[in-house]
Amino acid sequence: MQKVDIGEGKVDIQSSKVDIESLIAVKATDFSEKTISHIYKMYDKFGFDMIFGRTAVGELLGLQNSSASKLLAKLLRAEIIEPVSGHGKGKYRFSRRW
């Protein structure tokens, strides 16, 4: 029987957390603590690769549609999120371009 070597490499599960913290430090300097908290919750749920819209953000954060729209607009202006085409109107993902 052959042993499986699982000790060779360590998985870095902190790198994405560092990425979002750096992004917030650079882009969200004038955001309130509540907005920053919302960004962390959104990132924990969606990450860099998942696509989301107003409804998903509202459900996740317990916001009305208008408040979710305002939050998305603020994040879009700060280039924290970017629009995604080909998935319907009003779809976004976290931007890696910073």
Side-chain angles (χ1 to χ4, degrees):
M1 181 181 259
Q2 192 175 17
K3 286 187 174 180
V4 177
D5 185 5
I6 60 171
E8 281 296 314
K10 290 185 178 180
V11 177
D12 185 8
I13 60 173
Q14 294 296 319
S15 64
S16 63
K17 187 70 168 177
V18 172
D19 288 346
I20 196 67
E21 287 175 355
S22 299
L23 176 65
I24 290 172
V26 170
K27 300 282 187 173
T29 56
D30 60 345
F31 285 0
S32 69
E33 288 297 319
K34 187 173 184 178
T35 300
I36 292 171
S37 172
H38 286 335
I39 295 169
Y40 278 118
K41 287 178 187 175
M42 288 172 60
Y43 182 77
D44 285 343
K45 172 77 174 180
F46 305 122
F48 279 114
D49 299 318
M50 197 168 173
I51 296 169
F52 54 89
R54 179 186 66 191
T55 302
V57 170
E59 289 174 359
L60 174 67
L61 302 174
L63 301 174
Q64 297 291 327
N65 282 341
S66 60
S67 297
S69 291
K70 289 177 185 177
L71 175 62
L72 289 172
K74 183 185 284 190
L75 299 182
L76 192 58
R77 278 192 306 276
E79 298 177 342
I80 292 173
I81 62 173
E82 60 189 11
V84 176
S85 61
H87 293 275
K89 184 179 177 187
K91 301 299 181 196
Y92 307 93
R93 71 173 158 225
F94 279 92
S95 176
R96 292 182 186 258
R97 289 185 264 156
W98 46 277

